[in-house]
């Protein structure tokens, strides 16, 4: 298909789009976990702005200063990451010495935050870069490693910070540029999940039953602010694969969450799925729409690695642990651009990885 900015004026051009060009993938992409690894520990840390949003009371820790007492925003991000990792371990009544592996990533150059934090944590580390899809990418890899019997306990973690991401990908903070109406706000936060081998001691914890690795999708968006439009096709591809290569239907999930398309991107996803013959109902929501209140003036909502990761490791996991949710499909989405690629006129390749997590409580 031609590479052009197909969603720059989405509402105007929607009727002209040829959705028949999107071909179905016939290869099997479902990873089924026979031993259903359990998520036995979790932790979410957010900044002041996020703590004032609709989900503020669900986060484990809310900071009241975006620098957290550090000299730089980058050092503050490392501190948040470290807090989330150690908090997830502590919530499982374990110590760092009990952890076999850490899988993590972030938005900064060469995954600076993850690498520097892992240096101090002292656990074997695999760095992954999925941009805002890092949490589901880490969970998928951790579940695969644990299900295969290679390790017993694997930590998954990610983080983002508004100040560090903004000046790396867009403008210096002091510039004070006006944001376009389709922009999103990078979430300041960090989150971690501890995935462990299924045994009697962990039977009451939520289990990861399957995963879908994402394909790279590119619809020609080259605007660094238009993340929702660029990532929506990747979310469509992964969700469509999940629903057509398994026995699941939309109504089999208590919740289908994406992260983080924002308002515009989630509207596009609904339209893309409808053109494929699947209607998303009220059990679908995007994390970018959940984390901020409309009065906080974050335009299309939240974005960043921490957006869906903090919501999953707080509100969603709480519902799964209590049994209020029996089954959740979690699809984090990532825009895999660099500052140089976009400034050179390249378009934005995107991906979306999915995990299906079920409560220990039966229907």
């Amino acid at each position: 298909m031609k590479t052009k900015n197909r969603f720059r004026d989405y509402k105007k051009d929607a009727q002209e789009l040829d959705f028949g060009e999107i071909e179905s993938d016939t290869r099997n992409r479902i990873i089924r976990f026979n031993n259903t690894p359990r998520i036995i520990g979790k932790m979410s840390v957010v900044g002041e702005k996020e703590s004032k949003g609709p989900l503020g009371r669900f986060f484990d820790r809310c900071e009241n200063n975006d620098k957290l007492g550090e000299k730089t925003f980058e050092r503050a991000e490392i501190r948040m990451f470290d807090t989330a990792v150690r908090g997830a371990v502590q919530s499982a009544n374990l110590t760092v010495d009990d952890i076999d592996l850490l899988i993590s990533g972030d938005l900064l150059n060469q995954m600076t935050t993850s690498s520097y934090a892992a240096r101090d944590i002292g656990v074997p580390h695999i760095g992954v870069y999925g941009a805002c899809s890092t949490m589901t990418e880490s969970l998928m890899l951790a579940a695969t490693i644990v299900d295969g019997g290679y390790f017993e306990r694997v930590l998954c973690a990610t983080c983002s910070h508004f100040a560090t991401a903004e000046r790396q990908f867009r403008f210096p903070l002091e510039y004070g540029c006006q944001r376009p109406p389709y922009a999103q706000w990078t979430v300041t936060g960090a989150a971690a999940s501890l995935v462990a081998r299924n045994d009697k001691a962990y039977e009451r914890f939520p289990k990861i039953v399957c995963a879908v690795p994402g394909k790279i999708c590119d619809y020609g968006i080259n605007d660094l602010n238009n993340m929702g439009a660029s990532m929506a096709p990747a979310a469509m591809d992964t969700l469509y694969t999940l629903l057509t290569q398994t026995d699941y239907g939309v109504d089999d999930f208590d919740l289908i969450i994406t992260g983080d398309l924002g308002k515009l991107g989630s509207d596009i996803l609904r339209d893309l799925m409808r053109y494929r013959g699947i209607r998303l109902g009220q059990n679908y929501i995007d994390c970018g729409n959940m984390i901020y209140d409309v009065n906080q003036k974050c335009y299309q909502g939240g974005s960043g690695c921490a957006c869906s990761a903090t919501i999953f490791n707080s509100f969603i996991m709480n519902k799964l642990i209590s049994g209020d949710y029996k089954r959740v499909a979690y699809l984090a989405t990532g825009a895999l651009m660099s500052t140089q690629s976009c400034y050179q006129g390249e378009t934005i390749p995107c991906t979306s990885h999915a995990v299906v997590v079920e409560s220990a409580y039966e229907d």
Side-chain angles (χ1 to χ4, degrees):
M1 65 190 307
K2 293 181 179 180
T3 302
K4 60 180 181 178
N5 197 337
R6 303 191 67 174
F7 291 115
R8 182 60 63 90
D9 191 354
Y10 174 75
K11 296 300 181 183
K12 178 180 178 181
D13 298 334
Q15 299 301 321
E16 301 176 7
L17 296 179
D18 183 5
F19 292 97
E21 296 180 13
I22 308 173
E23 297 181 359
S24 300
D25 194 347
T26 57
R27 80 193 78 190
N28 176 45
R29 289 167 55 191
I30 308 299
I31 304 173
R32 293 177 172 85
F33 302 115
N34 297 323
N35 299 315
T36 57
R38 305 287 168 145
I39 303 177
I40 66 169
K42 64 180 183 65
M43 178 71 173
S44 59
V45 184
V46 297
E48 182 180 15
K49 189 180 186 72
E50 292 71 23
S51 68
K52 294 178 180 179
L55 301 178
R57 68 184 186 277
F58 295 103
F59 299 121
D60 297 304
R61 180 165 178 160
C62 298
E63 304 289 350
N64 56 16
N65 185 297
D66 284 348
K67 273 195 174 180
L68 281 72
E70 300 289 343
K71 292 183 178 181
T72 66
F73 291 116
E74 285 76 13
R75 287 300 312 175
E77 186 171 337
I78 293 170
R79 183 172 172 179
M80 279 195 308
F81 184 99
D82 185 272
T83 300
V85 166
R86 296 183 189 276
V89 174
Q90 186 176 4
S91 72
N93 296 317
L94 298 171
T95 67
V96 171
D97 292 336
D98 297 314
I99 306 305
D100 299 310
L101 180 68
L102 169 64
I103 302 176
S104 67
D106 56 87
L107 292 176
L108 298 191
N109 290 332
Q110 289 79 49
M111 296 181 293
T112 303
T113 303
S114 299
S115 299
Y116 277 63
R119 174 192 62 183
D120 298 329
I121 293 168
V123 173
H125 178 236
I126 295 178
V128 295
Y129 184 76
C132 301
S133 69
T134 297
M135 194 70 230
T136 47
E137 182 178 5
S138 301
L139 286 169
M140 175 178 62
L141 293 174
T144 302
I145 291 171
V146 170
D147 189 62
Y150 299 104
F151 292 117
E152 291 189 16
R153 303 181 189 94
V154 179
L155 261 174
C156 307
T158 191
C159 62
S160 58
H161 195 299
F162 172 80
T164 64
E166 192 69 12
R167 64 186 180 188
Q168 174 172 298
F169 287 102
R170 296 180 182 90
F171 300 101
L173 298 177
E174 298 82 4
Y175 183 64
C177 65
Q178 183 175 353
R179 304 169 73 83
Y182 50 80
Q184 294 171 244
W185 193 276
T186 302
V187 168
T188 296
S193 302
L194 179 53
V195 179
R197 185 178 62 186
N198 184 17
D199 60 32
K200 287 188 177 181
Y202 301 139
E203 286 181 344
R204 62 187 178 88
F205 291 98
K207 54 190 175 182
I208 304 176
V209 297
C210 69
V212 184
K215 290 175 61 178
I216 302 297
C217 297
D218 188 343
Y219 263 47
I221 304 294
N222 58 11
D223 188 337
L224 282 170
N225 289 292
N226 204 353
M227 295 293 94
S230 63
M231 295 187 292
M236 181 278 297
D237 177 80
T238 300
L239 181 55
Y240 185 79
T241 299
L242 174 65
L243 295 175
T244 55
Q245 293 192 5
T246 67
D247 294 329
Y248 296 130
V250 172
D251 295 334
D252 292 322
F253 297 96
D254 294 287
L255 196 66
I256 299 172
I257 56 170
T258 52
D260 24 82
L261 303 176
K263 180 65 171 63
L264 174 61
S266 56
D267 285 348
I268 294 174
L269 175 60
R270 285 183 181 275
D271 286 348
L272 288 172
M273 293 298 291
R274 189 177 71 251
Y275 275 91
R276 303 304 296 274
I278 298 174
R279 291 186 176 271
L280 299 180
Q282 294 184 350
N283 61 338
Y284 164 67
I285 193 168
D286 182 76
C287 292
N289 284 340
M290 299 171 67
I291 199 162
Y292 295 124
D293 185 88
V294 65
N295 296 320
Q296 291 181 286
K297 299 180 180 180
C298 294
Y299 300 90
Q300 297 299 322
S303 66
C305 295
C307 183
S308 68
T310 54
I311 291 175
F312 176 76
N313 283 287
S314 57
F315 176 76
I316 304 300
M317 278 294 293
N318 291 346
K319 292 287 188 180
L320 287 165
I321 291 171
S322 67
D324 291 337
Y325 288 163
K326 298 297 189 299
R327 183 182 296 119
V328 171
Y330 171 27
L331 299 89
T333 55
L336 307 177
M337 77 288 189
S338 72
T339 51
Q340 271 65 40
S341 64
C342 285
Y343 293 151
Q344 292 171 3
E346 296 290 342
T347 55
I348 303 174
C350 299
T351 191
S352 175
H353 307 290
V355 290
V356 174
V357 185
E358 294 183 355
S359 170
Y361 298 94
E362 300 295 336
D363 292 333

